[in-house]
Amino acid sequence: MSANYAVVLAAGQGTRMKSKLYKVLHPVCGKSMVEHVVGQIEKLNLQQIVTVIGYGGNQVKEVLRQRTEFAVQEEQLGTGHAVLQAEPLLGEKQGTTLIICGDTPLFTAETLTELFDYHQQQRAVATILTAIAPDPTGYGRIIRDRQGNVAKIVEQKDTTPAEAAVAEINTGVYCFDNQALFQALHQVTNDNAQHEYYLTDVIEICQKAAQKVAAFTMKDFNESMGVNDRVALSKATALMRQRINEKHMRNGVTLIDPQNTYIDSEVKIGADTVVEPGVVLKGETIIGENCLIGAHSQLSDSLISDNVTITASVLENAQMATGSNIGPYSHLRPQAKIGERVHIGNFVEVKKAEIGADTKVGHLTYVGDATLGRQINVGCGCVFVNYDGINKHHTTVGDYSFIGSASNMVAPLRIADHAYVAAGSTITNDVAAHDMAIARGRQVNKAGYYDRYPVAKAAQQTEQAEKNSK
């Protein structure tokens, strides 16, 4: 079996994107375009992948790291010139080389495998990946002879009326005999209007040398979409999102409104989970089985076990154990770990805190830098006060304790098992087991003081108006 290689063209700046971000690094469903391309190529088990980078290429290196080798195109002199930069790495190799652009995030490993197989079956020196376009305007046309062989590729501006009517287009993806490729590249000239070295000229050079050129037509034209501006980026994202959502639904996930559900490519979801409209699932989020992800929730890089309910809440780098629930309108920030059957109610924020099984944090509470044990009740409006203006400090609350409403726990602090904090307290000292801590001013009732305040006069006026209206 011959060796297979790939060259990813990622040197273009993408001026039409009108962005400071390198073109191939623009994200589609949570990953940059070039990561999508390389990810699919990696499934082909190739011997070597070379990514051709140019201006700003260090950003691409930082994203891809050790997944590919890199060649640098110092000047943007065309696609043929770009591929030629990989010659020091591939030029002496025997085998087949795939050429693909880094701004085509929708290609699948299945299609690329079919291209490789067809290329080898045809014993071709070059094979062009083609597609049937609903509207071929702007694409290079594949012109075949009467036997169905490739006669030439004609760019849009050079087509005759008959050629312009051809729907089969060049996707810009090729398989080449590796050594024939680099030999032909040295024959390519820049004698054209753009003064660039075009990769497509290699096809004509091969044909003139009586070498076989084949063309394989892919099944789905949409895979071939290249992204050159923000409009195309949005279309590619919509197609990728549709592909991702269909995969989850076929795997047993219910998406109530797939068109308004936004799931990144690396997200995993268990069977019988229901995802309501407006949900955004980002990064490497993993969701178990039988969960309910309520409308307009947003989860990023979070781990959700089975039978969890999330209602209109935001989670980032957080974990929720089996049977727990949250929301509405609550926020789990990084390093929040919610235990089994824990209830996190509405308007609760948890940050860098672990909450033990069966504990309840009902509403309007902030839990930061804390460890809460099992079976604790945290009342409404509590604050775990963790920041002194310079450093963060930790609070520990033991099992079966009770934290009364409107209490402040000022860290560093340790509240033992079976302890009680009275409502309205500001706790600054440790609390021992079975003790009740109360830290608030003693109530004093001042007789007749109500009548001294404006509220009394307003009440009198209202009462008089009610009597007059009867």
Side-chain angles (χ1 to χ4, degrees):
M1 181 181 290
S2 64
N4 294 328
Y5 315 96
V7 175
V8 180
L9 302 181
Q13 290 180 255
T15 54
R16 280 183 281 174
M17 298 295 287
K18 292 182 170 57
S19 174
K20 297 180 182 68
L21 185 64
Y22 206 67
K23 182 173 77 164
V24 298
L25 296 182
H26 280 266
V28 172
C29 295
K31 284 197 301 192
S32 67
M33 291 191 285
V34 74
E35 285 180 281
H36 280 291
V37 173
V38 171
Q40 294 302 309
I41 293 173
E42 286 173 330
K43 296 178 182 179
L44 307 180
N45 296 316
L46 305 184
Q47 277 64 49
Q48 197 169 0
I49 303 172
V50 177
T51 300
V52 180
I53 57 177
Y55 174 80
N58 285 336
Q59 296 176 2
V60 179
K61 280 187 174 183
E62 290 172 5
V63 169
L64 296 179
R65 297 183 181 274
Q66 305 302 318
R67 296 170 67 184
T68 83
E69 296 179 65
F70 296 93
V72 179
Q73 185 186 27
E74 297 288 353
E75 295 181 86
Q76 308 298 297
L77 300 178
T79 52
H81 179 261
V83 176
L84 196 57
Q85 307 314 301
E87 186 175 35
L89 295 169
L90 296 177
E92 300 300 319
K93 303 290 178 68
Q94 298 278 352
T96 302
T97 296
L98 171 75
I99 308 294
I100 189 169
C101 293
D103 61 0
T104 53
L106 296 174
F107 278 114
T108 63
E110 290 76 16
T111 294
L112 299 178
T113 298
E114 290 174 353
L115 172 63
F116 266 109
D117 291 345
Y118 185 82
H119 174 78
Q120 291 165 358
Q121 291 164 8
Q122 295 296 309
R123 299 182 184 278
V125 167
T127 301
I128 308 160
L129 182 61
T130 73
I132 305 302
D135 178 6
T137 304
Y139 291 94
R141 307 301 203 281
I142 302 299
I143 308 302
R144 296 178 182 260
D145 61 22
R146 292 182 179 180
Q147 288 73 41
N149 298 315
V150 176
K152 57 182 176 178
I153 303 173
V154 183
E155 297 303 321
Q156 171 74 36
K157 61 182 180 299
D158 299 323
T159 56
T160 66
E163 291 168 341
V166 173
E168 186 177 12
I169 58 95
N170 177 18
T171 66
V173 177
Y174 310 86
C175 274
F176 289 102
D177 174 86
N178 189 65
Q179 292 200 342
L181 167 63
F182 288 104
Q183 289 168 7
L185 283 171
H186 284 287
Q187 300 175 50
V188 173
T189 71
N190 65 347
D191 186 17
N192 53 60
Q194 301 297 322
H195 299 293
E196 292 186 351
Y197 298 89
Y198 293 129
L199 182 60
T200 50
D201 289 352
V202 171
I203 300 299
E204 184 178 353
I205 290 169
C206 291
Q207 288 172 322
K208 286 181 178 179
Q211 295 172 325
K212 184 170 183 179
V213 174
F216 174 73
T217 304
M218 60 193 290
K219 299 182 184 72
D220 184 3
F221 165 74
N222 287 330
E223 280 190 39
S224 68
M225 176 182 288
V227 175
N228 290 312
D229 58 25
R230 306 286 183 142
V231 175
L233 183 66
S234 70
K235 291 178 180 178
T237 300
L239 289 166
M240 181 69 78
R241 185 167 69 243
Q242 180 181 358
R243 181 189 296 177
I244 292 168
N245 289 357
E246 286 185 4
K247 178 194 72 173
H248 287 297
M249 288 187 286
R250 295 189 189 282
N251 287 337
V253 178
T254 296
L255 305 185
I256 302 298
D257 184 359
Q259 290 185 327
N260 290 293
T261 303
Y262 307 89
I263 304 176
D264 279 358
S265 59
E266 298 301 306
V267 171
K268 295 178 175 60
I269 309 175
D272 293 317
T273 285
V274 176
V275 181
E276 293 185 339
V279 167
V280 180
L281 305 177
K282 294 183 175 182
E284 297 182 359
T285 291
I286 298 174
I287 299 172
E289 297 182 351
N290 300 300
C291 294
L292 173 62
I293 312 301
H296 308 296
S297 294
Q298 180 171 310
L299 283 64
S300 301
D301 297 306
S302 293
L303 177 60
I304 310 302
S305 298
D306 299 341
N307 302 303
V308 170
T309 298
I310 298 172
T311 306
S313 294
V314 175
L315 284 69
E316 47 184 327
N317 296 100
Q319 298 179 23
M320 293 187 69
T322 302
S324 58
N325 66 83
I326 185 173
Y329 312 119
S330 287
H331 187 184
L332 298 186
R333 290 170 56 194
Q335 300 182 56
K337 295 182 179 180
I338 307 304
E340 293 183 359
R341 299 174 302 280
V342 166
H343 167 64
I344 303 294
N346 53 303
F347 300 102
V348 174
E349 180 178 345
V350 181
K351 190 247 7 173
K352 198 177 180 181
E354 186 169 348
I355 299 179
D358 300 299
T359 287
K360 295 177 174 58
V361 185
H363 23 236
L364 299 164
T365 290
Y366 171 69
V367 183
D369 294 274
T371 301
L372 276 63
R374 301 168 55 87
Q375 294 279 0
I376 298 169
N377 184 86
V378 179
C380 176
C382 292
V383 178
F384 285 73
V385 184
N386 57 339
Y387 185 49
D388 64 10
I390 299 176
N391 299 307
K392 298 289 181 68
H393 301 279
H394 197 84
T395 293
T396 300
V397 181
D399 300 342
Y400 303 99
S401 292
F402 185 96
I403 308 298
S405 296
S407 294
N408 299 309
M409 276 56 65
V410 182
L413 184 67
R414 179 174 293 273
I415 298 173
D417 297 346
H418 301 280
Y420 196 107
V421 172
S425 295
T426 295
I427 304 301
T428 58
N429 297 316
D430 292 351
V431 183
H434 299 281
D435 283 2
M436 182 186 78
I438 181 168
R440 61 192 184 208
R442 184 177 297 277
Q443 180 174 330
V444 177
N445 293 345
K446 299 288 187 178
Y449 266 56
Y450 173 88
D451 297 328
R452 298 187 180 189
Y453 295 102
V455 65
K457 184 176 182 181
Q460 291 171 356
Q461 292 173 344
T462 301
E463 288 175 337
Q464 188 60 49
E466 289 175 348
K467 290 179 182 178
N468 293 339
S469 65
K470 293 180 180 179

